[in-house]
Amino acid sequence: MLLLAVDTATPAVTVALHDGSATVAESNQVDARRHGELLLPAVDRVLAEAGVGLDAVTGIVVGVGPGPYTGLRVGLMTADTFGLALGVPVYGLCTLDGLAYAAGEVGGPFVVATDARRKEVYWARYEDRRTRVTEAAVDRPADIAEAVAGLPAVGAGALLYPDTFTDPRGPEHVFAAALAALAAERLAAGAELLDPRPLYLRRPDAQVPKNYKVVTPK
């Protein structure tokens, strides 16, 4: 097994290789505006560090979000392209699950929250690092304050809204090494992973203006 994992659902542009037992190489850069520019060079660096070619990869793992439309689609399209070119399976994982896994043993139930912009967070509640107990959702922090009260909270969203998430923890962003390790663990157990399809939870920020008038030449 040699899994190539990528995620662009958060400001982190993150890539990792995992051999089924451990991370072989990884690259993590935080830049919310340069996902498309940074991802492929990061893949090249990781492969070079591991001393293997892309054709050695036996599966692709990709974070499916939730995340903003523009960044999220970069990772998903890249993963789909690699999968088609190599003839290998592409496995999807919820990005929040990767963050929860990376958090380790928090010591009881906790919340993962990432920045959804528009003064909202993407979030879900976890029983432990492997077990999500709610669906991923997008909400204003004040609207979920009662649901998350007193719980440790992982992710950038928790750091942005300390009035709601009163016990913030690291990591701030998801890293592909955690996604790859979680995917390897689930595959070894015979579990089914998600289809590599985006989990947006809401419409894109960029939309056609209302009352848009189409003008065609006569």
Side-chain angles (χ1 to χ4, degrees):
M1 176 186 290
L2 189 62
L3 298 175
L4 174 66
V6 302
D7 193 293
T8 57
T10 75
V13 180
T14 178
V15 180
L17 273 176
H18 196 283
D19 65 5
S21 299
T23 300
V24 178
E26 63 179 309
S27 171
N28 304 301
Q29 298 166 277
V30 178
D31 191 329
R33 298 182 179 275
R34 300 173 64 209
H35 292 93
E37 181 180 344
L38 296 175
L39 183 56
L40 289 180
V43 171
D44 287 341
R45 282 196 306 274
V46 166
L47 293 172
E49 181 181 339
V52 300
L54 186 60
D55 58 357
V57 171
T58 61
I60 311 294
V61 178
V62 62
V64 300
Y69 177 82
T70 303
L72 183 54
R73 66 178 180 173
V74 171
L76 285 160
M77 291 177 65
T78 300
D80 278 343
T81 301
F82 284 161
L84 287 171
L86 299 172
V88 300
V90 181
Y91 305 107
L93 275 179
C94 176
T95 296
L96 301 180
D97 290 357
L99 256 171
Y101 190 82
E105 299 303 331
V106 175
F110 64 99
V111 176
V112 172
T114 62
D115 183 15
R117 304 175 187 172
R118 303 185 193 175
K119 298 182 180 180
E120 295 178 331
V121 292
Y122 298 117
W123 71 285
R125 180 169 171 161
Y126 290 78
E127 185 64 30
D128 54 52
R129 67 186 298 201
R130 295 177 175 84
T131 311
R132 176 160 43 92
V133 295
T134 65
E135 295 295 328
V138 58
D139 289 291
R140 289 184 176 272
D143 293 340
I144 59 172
E146 184 175 343
V148 305
L151 294 176
V154 173
L159 297 174
L160 286 171
Y161 302 101
D163 289 344
T164 295
F165 303 101
T166 57
D167 185 8
R169 309 282 182 94
E172 184 174 350
H173 302 296
V174 69
F175 293 122
L179 281 174
L182 179 58
E185 187 177 288
R186 289 181 176 178
L187 289 170
E192 288 190 14
L193 276 67
L194 301 175
D195 291 332
R197 297 293 175 262
L199 184 61
Y200 292 130
L201 299 187
R202 69 182 183 205
R203 296 177 63 83
D205 289 333
Q207 298 182 30
V208 176
K210 293 181 179 179
N211 303 318
Y212 177 74
K213 183 178 181 180
V214 178
V215 179
T216 57
K218 294 183 178 179

